[in-house]
Amino acid sequence: MDDLVQVTDRGLFVPAANVYIDPWQPVERAVITHAHSDHARAGHRLYLAHPVTGALLQTRLGSSISLQTLPYGKKLRLGSVQVSFHPAGHVPGSAQVRLEFRGRVCVVSGDYKRHSDGLSAPFEPVRCHMFLTESTFGLPVFRWEPAETLGQRLCLWVTEQLAQGRHVCLTGYSLGKAQRLIRILNEAWIVPFVHPAIEIINQTLKRCGIRPGNYSALSEYKKSLGPAVILLPPAAVDRLPAGISGPFVRAACSGWMAVRGMKRRQNLDKGFALSDHADWPGLLKTMEESEAERVWVTHGFAEPLARYMQERGRQAEALRTAWTETPEEAA
Amino acid sequence: MKQFAELCEALDSTTSTGERLSLLTAYFREASPVDARCALALFSGWRPPRLLKSTELRALAAELSGIPLWLVEESYHFVGDLGETLALLMADEATPSPSSGAPEDSLHGLLLHMNSLRQASHEEIRSFVLRQWKSLDTTGRLIFNKLIAGSFRLGVASRLAITAFAQAFGLSEETVAHRVAGDWNPLADDPFSAGESEPDLALKPFPFCLAYSVENTLASLGTPSDFLLEYKWDGIRCQIVRREGRMALWSRGGESLDKAFPELVQAASFLPSDTILDGEILLVRQGRVMPFTELQKRIGRKDPSPTLLKKYPVMFLAFDLLMHKGEDIRSQPLRHRRALLENLIVPDGDLLRLNEGFNVRSWEEAAQLRQAAPDRGAEGIMIKHLDSPYVSGRKRHIWWKWKVDPYTVDAVLLYAQAGHGRRAGLYTDFTFALWHEGRLVPFAKAYSGLTDEEMAEVNRFIRHNTLEKFGPVRSVKPQLVFELAFESLQRSNRHKSGVAVRFPRILRWRRDKQPHEADSLQTLLNLLAKVHPE
Ligand SMILES: [Zn+2]
């Protein structure tokens, strides 16, 4: 595709720096945009990441990984390429990777969102010649409701369910979504119980100085506490965790919930379209602001988004990568 | 219209039957009578004419939103429902204006307007749709889109709507059910008007009486000699209506069977006028009842050729008499109805035949009869109280069914997943659901148990009725009903359905059943209570 970045069967490769970005096969040197499992895989010899992502990688992959960290905005020379990280606003520690080589700049977005979540460093547009963007929600049917009204609707619904004596299971990705939910619930004075997978992430974030909000561990739940709000990773959706019983309702919190069929398909009682990705207008705005001459579109609705950009006179191309999130786990 | 849209939204966001019933009742009470009638019709399956083809609607949405047509298509492909896709794409475009007082502000007015545009030019239809899009709010637009795109559906069982309607207007459920049975158009006829003897109505069937599965010991039913036992046949349940020189055959789903079974219509002409029979259509060769799969070859074949009639010979096995010499005798005890039926239908007729009845002195005898059922081509026995009236729907202590295989339910196909290896590319892994409080709750996954032809047909259905698609899984319109069997079941507090079933398998495709006729979760729980009494 270009001499600066290339897609290989191991991942996105930057030959002049001899590094891969979010590779999906084990490599020597990997630059990691954020700690979601489809981007940060095990088995690389050396990891380069933002300090928060680095801490999360050690939690997820073990403290024995070889890790080098780089804060936002600081430049690092790799081979003949200047590498720097810039906030992507997706989850804590998430970064866009800026690559500068012989006066040309390429930005790899990783996953990103444009709305601030109060938790992650807000997205910063970076001007570049070439921009590689995600497109998880790259269809015009995806337009997010403002986070405030969505949060209010969510709390109202949760409160109603609790009042009727039902446990409420909310599902969302352990990193990012779970912490946003804790904060939203805290606004309504609700303290949720969190699954151990979320608890581990929370502990790591606390060590990095990021406060996930007020929550309790699932193990602290006692029957005498009555109906509870339980945060779960999306994998464990159709049953209550061991030790809790009684009537319950389930709601998923993900951008996919903008579509009713997604809610029906997962047999959910409720869905909230709370997303950590850019919506359609957000994607268009970002491509515009990058001022890039060439745009590569990757995982999600890459083909339609690339074609739409082409029809508007932009040089755009869909790229096949292995970064995929299933709707069940997507943020 | 606003009122109706709000009702739909409210119904969609509650799972409790009680709440849904009171929402519906409140709507029927507050709405104008014509609106109420239209809503009842919509909930019982009636649809207004489709004004625009789906392709035309998409083109219109593209034009209005400024999104290229191919991208509208792409979006529709993902969302699965055209009405919803358009509502999502239009989110920014429309600015709802306050009610204009136009006639189409009411549900009836809107449907009437749609009806009047049936022959209209494309231009007229276009401006009508644009006007609606501009004036409706988000919810209203969603419902309107679903109506014009022909994708209107709600998880409200027509039974629930009938109950609510009856409550709202102080009518009996039987009356409402009878009057809306069969085909009717709420814009053309008012089945609730005073003079109700139009010929159309006269040919309508009565609501069918349905049986409960035997849940406890037979002894708990009462004294064996109080019951009439019959074989339970696996055919097409049917009422034959003979009125003033005309005949009609009706399925349980309210569909006319006249075209499919002309020889039975012919035979019914020999019945005395003003007679309604209830019974089962079966395929019989050399005196043997053939499996349902054989009978299926006749379903859906309108105006069958003489060759087909000969190859797949059917008969109607009568087991009840509902109208005799113009008199509705449903409230009379079964023993009386049966006596009249025996005078009317002979036990050895060729096309109309009397279903054999048995009297037993002990429940052991009943059990023996049930054991013998498979040899006769029957799937179990019916146990009917001799003093029982013919009721509409399912009521306890009236009719019981006792199947040979105790663990079977009729469930609705909800998701399909592509198989691997040899069957890659074919949807072979199905998830089935049962009704619970007006919604379909998935409860079991089952793999193939279908013939190759059926499999091909189901796959075609899946491809054309996908609601959404993700990876290898598709969710499909809840439309196909299958009978599932399983080895055992147990309670599971940690499953949404509350029950875990072991080794579920597909017994057969119930083409004769509508999705709302599938079993409920309660059926499963009743089976459970029988297996593991608490
Ligand atoms: Zn991510």
Side-chain angles (χ1 to χ4, degrees):
Chain A
M1 55 195 255
D2 189 86
D3 52 352
L4 185 50
V5 281
Q6 304 169 350
V7 177
T8 72
D9 53 2
R10 292 174 172 266
L12 192 70
F13 185 51
V14 187
N18 192 25
V19 292
Y20 287 84
I21 299 173
D22 292 351
W24 46 87
Q25 295 283 332
V27 299
E28 276 291 300
R29 303 204 295 169
V31 175
I32 304 296
T33 60
H34 68 288
H36 278 156
S37 56
D38 53 331
H39 292 259
R41 302 193 188 214
H44 311 309
R45 214 182 58 73
L46 181 70
Y47 290 81
L48 174 67
H50 181 271
V52 173
T53 298
L56 291 161
L57 290 180
Q58 286 176 321
T59 302
R60 277 199 40 228
L61 307 175
S63 52
S64 61
I65 59 166
S66 303
L67 173 73
Q68 184 180 349
T69 62
L70 181 67
Y72 293 131
K74 287 265 181 325
K75 288 191 174 154
L76 178 74
R77 196 164 184 90
L78 291 177
S80 43
V81 182
Q82 291 267 27
V83 178
S84 56
F85 287 146
H86 303 268
H90 174 55
V91 295
S94 67
Q96 309 175 68
V97 184
R98 181 182 183 277
L99 306 160
E100 187 175 343
F101 176 62
R102 293 181 187 156
R104 288 196 309 141
V105 176
C106 173
V107 170
V108 177
S109 76
D111 291 344
Y112 64 93
K113 72 168 170 291
R114 299 303 308 259
H115 306 285
S116 166
D117 59 13
L119 198 72
S120 324
F123 180 91
E124 273 175 22
V126 183
R127 283 178 53 204
C128 54
H129 300 97
M130 291 163 286
F131 185 51
L132 193 148
T133 179
E134 63 131 325
S135 63
T136 308
F137 292 106
L139 282 181
V141 292
F142 295 108
R143 295 157 202 253
W144 308 143
E145 174 187 355
E148 302 73 48
T149 58
L150 191 143
Q152 284 161 9
R153 282 202 301 119
L154 189 146
C155 289
L156 189 67
W157 180 76
V158 168
T159 314
E160 277 169 7
Q161 300 306 317
L162 293 175
Q164 291 179 36
R166 301 174 185 137
H167 298 296
V168 179
C169 295
L170 296 176
T171 62
Y173 213 74
S174 319
L175 167 59
K177 192 61 61 64
Q179 293 77 32
R180 274 180 90 180
L181 284 170
I182 294 171
R183 285 164 162 237
I184 288 171
L185 291 164
N186 286 174
E187 291 275 308
W189 298 20
I190 298 166
V191 177
F193 290 86
V194 310
H195 187 271
I198 298 169
E199 166 71 13
I200 290 171
I201 302 286
N202 285 352
Q203 294 297 349
T204 309
L205 291 176
K206 279 187 204 166
R207 283 202 302 277
C208 300
I210 296 168
R211 296 184 14 217
N214 296 324
Y215 65 91
S216 305
L218 253 184
S219 54
E220 293 167 40
Y221 179 78
K222 288 187 293 287
K223 212 177 171 118
S224 60
L225 293 172
V229 179
I230 306 158
L231 298 192
L232 297 169
V237 281
D238 80 332
R239 53 188 65 179
L240 280 172
I244 301 188
S245 60
F248 68 102
V249 285
R250 297 177 306 149
C253 305
S254 123
W256 300 108
M257 294 300 124
V259 172
R260 287 167 184 234
M262 288 305 218
K263 184 187 91 175
R264 266 200 307 275
R265 180 180 148 212
Q266 296 177 39
N267 188 35
L268 296 163
D269 298 291
K270 196 83 180 165
F272 293 97
L274 182 73
S275 179
D276 282 332
H277 289 268
D279 59 1
W280 174 259
L283 291 167
L284 298 185
K285 177 175 149 191
T286 307
M287 284 184 278
E288 207 54 50
E289 288 176 356
S290 75
E291 296 178 23
E293 299 152 5
R294 288 184 73 177
V295 175
W296 290 299
V297 188
T298 167
H299 77 309
F301 294 95
E303 274 89 12
L305 184 56
R307 180 172 164 194
Y308 182 79
M309 294 304 288
Q310 285 161 13
E311 290 183 359
R312 308 191 124 204
R314 297 290 289 266
Q315 209 183 340
E317 202 181 315
L319 262 197
R320 282 190 89 80
T321 62
W323 302 319
T324 52
E325 282 173 292
T326 64
E328 283 76 17
E329 66 179 26
Chain B
M1 181 58 193
K2 193 172 159 53
Q3 223 179 345
F4 181 69
E6 277 164 6
L7 168 72
C8 294
E9 189 70 5
L11 287 171
D12 193 48
S13 49
T14 175
T15 53
S16 137
T17 309
E19 251 173 76
R20 292 174 145 228
L21 185 62
S22 57
L23 283 168
L24 284 163
T25 312
Y27 173 81
F28 287 137
R29 277 212 188 102
E30 285 158 25
S32 69
V34 280
D35 272 10
R37 200 170 78 204
C38 290
L40 178 64
L42 284 169
F43 287 126
S44 36
W46 175 84
R47 293 292 173 267
R50 278 182 76 160
L51 294 181
L52 288 172
K53 288 197 206 96
S54 152
T55 47
E56 294 169 325
L57 256 176
R58 283 177 248 175
L60 199 55
E63 187 188 320
L64 206 71
S65 62
I67 291 164
L69 181 60
W70 65 265
L71 191 50
V72 173
E73 310 268 0
E74 195 83 34
S75 300
Y76 167 48
H77 188 74
F78 174 75
V79 175
D81 179 298
L82 187 56
E84 188 184 348
T85 310
L86 300 187
L88 288 169
L89 290 177
M90 294 301 180
D92 296 343
E93 322 306 329
T95 37
S97 61
S99 168
S100 60
E104 68 237 35
D105 282 353
S106 75
L107 176 63
H108 178 254
L110 182 79
L111 294 172
L112 214 55
H113 199 143
M114 288 175 69
N115 203 40
S116 73
L117 289 172
R118 210 192 322 225
Q119 314 285 350
S121 70
H122 183 71
E123 207 37 53
E124 278 177 274
I125 293 172
R126 220 184 82 105
S127 72
F128 164 73
V129 171
L130 287 181
R131 198 163 63 241
Q132 295 305 319
W133 276 348
K134 292 226 164 93
S135 68
L136 292 165
D137 63 4
T138 319
T139 318
R141 213 176 309 132
L142 180 68
I143 302 299
F144 173 72
N145 286 344
K146 282 170 178 278
L147 285 174
I148 50 174
S151 68
F152 180 84
R153 59 172 174 270
L154 272 172
V156 174
S158 70
R159 188 79 227 169
L160 193 66
I162 287 170
T163 306
F165 194 89
Q167 280 183 11
F169 291 97
L171 298 164
S172 80
E173 283 180 42
E174 276 78 9
T175 310
V176 179
H178 181 214
R179 295 196 186 164
V180 302
D183 297 322
W184 67 289
N185 179 347
L187 303 175
D189 20 84
D190 178 7
F192 302 98
S193 69
E196 192 241 321
S197 60
E198 299 146 54
D200 250 3
L201 294 176
L203 276 174
K204 284 191 177 171
F206 285 119
F208 286 78
C209 178
L210 306 175
Y212 266 103
S213 293
V214 172
E215 291 156 3
N216 294 309
T217 58
L218 288 177
S220 67
L221 301 186
T223 318
S225 56
D226 287 342
F227 291 86
L228 174 73
L229 274 61
E230 296 165 349
Y231 283 117
K232 181 180 184 330
W233 302 107
D234 191 10
I236 302 168
R237 182 80 180 275
C238 169
Q239 279 185 30
I240 294 183
V241 180
R242 167 88 170 86
R243 280 289 194 57
E244 298 141 17
R246 302 206 294 150
M247 286 74 66
L249 264 55
W250 296 98
S251 79
R252 255 183 65 190
E255 284 164 310
S256 168
L257 301 171
D258 301 359
K259 288 247 158 48
F261 301 103
E263 71 268 57
L264 296 181
V265 175
Q266 175 77 30
S269 66
F270 294 102
L271 289 169
S273 192
D274 301 312
T275 301
I276 299 184
L277 294 172
D278 187 6
E280 195 97 3
I281 298 174
L282 296 173
L283 199 125
V284 181
R285 282 202 191 102
Q286 280 110 37
R288 272 203 67 83
V289 175
M290 295 288 117
F292 187 75
T293 45
E294 283 293 287
L295 181 58
Q296 274 180 340
K297 294 173 180 150
R298 282 288 301 272
I299 304 175
R301 298 290 283 269
K302 306 256 153 125
D303 301 316
S305 65
T307 329
L308 197 78
L309 294 188
K310 228 171 155 170
K311 200 168 165 206
Y312 299 103
V314 298
M315 70 162 61
F316 177 87
L317 218 52
F319 52 66
D320 216 322
L321 182 63
L322 314 183
M323 177 170 283
H324 184 237
K325 295 182 175 163
E327 188 194 349
D328 176 358
I329 59 166
R330 288 177 298 157
S331 56
Q332 297 188 17
L334 173 63
R335 62 177 87 239
H336 191 180
R337 301 199 308 275
R338 175 84 192 181
L340 293 171
L341 179 71
E342 286 174 3
N343 284 335
L344 202 64
I345 309 288
V346 290
D348 56 355
D350 284 334
L351 286 164
L352 302 187
R353 184 178 289 190
L354 180 71
N355 191 25
E356 207 177 345
F358 302 88
N359 298 107
V360 291
R361 279 153 302 169
S362 69
W363 289 122
E364 286 75 47
E365 272 182 64
Q368 284 162 15
L369 197 65
R370 171 170 165 269
Q371 285 311 316
D375 295 336
R376 300 286 299 268
E379 56 175 4
I381 56 170
M382 297 294 299
I383 305 173
K384 300 177 176 175
H385 202 286
L386 282 162
D387 292 327
S388 64
Y390 187 97
V391 301
S392 41
R394 226 179 284 268
K395 291 230 167 75
R396 260 160 221 284
H397 309 299
I398 301 267
W399 286 12
W400 300 100
K401 58 183 174 191
W402 194 25
K403 289 199 195 179
V404 177
D405 187 345
Y407 304 134
T408 65
V409 286
D410 292 330
V412 182
L413 174 66
L414 216 53
Y415 306 119
Q417 188 165 351
H420 298 287
R422 194 172 67 84
R423 314 210 83 168
L426 205 58
Y427 292 89
T428 53
D429 175 356
F430 304 122
T431 301
F432 295 94
L434 296 172
W435 290 105
H436 181 59
E437 300 187 333
R439 295 193 169 206
L440 284 167
V441 178
F443 82 105
K445 267 192 173 188
Y447 306 90
S448 169
L450 301 171
T451 65
D452 286 352
E453 294 93 65
E454 284 174 325
M455 189 58 107
E457 204 179 330
V458 171
N459 266 265
R460 236 182 342 268
F461 170 85
I462 291 167
R463 276 190 292 273
H464 289 125
N465 293 276
T466 297
L467 295 178
E468 68 273 314
K469 198 164 85 169
F470 234 94
V473 182
R474 286 179 182 220
S475 81
V476 298
K477 269 188 202 157
Q479 199 167 311
L480 305 188
V481 181
F482 294 84
E483 185 173 351
L484 303 187
F486 40 90
E487 300 297 324
S488 67
L489 69 174
Q490 61 189 88
R491 189 171 287 284
S492 161
N493 271 335
R494 297 174 64 206
H495 280 85
K496 191 72 178 166
S497 66
V499 184
V501 299
R502 255 163 69 83
F503 305 126
R505 60 188 186 277
I506 303 169
L507 272 192
R508 68 205 161 93
W509 187 351
R510 294 297 307 248
R511 294 177 201 249
D512 58 323
K513 287 211 169 181
Q514 298 292 316
H516 68 263
E517 292 177 287
D519 284 310
S520 69
L521 204 52
Q522 193 56 45
T523 315
L524 210 60
L525 295 174
N526 292 343
L527 284 176
L528 191 72
K530 197 169 76 176
V531 190
H532 308 283
E534 285 181 32

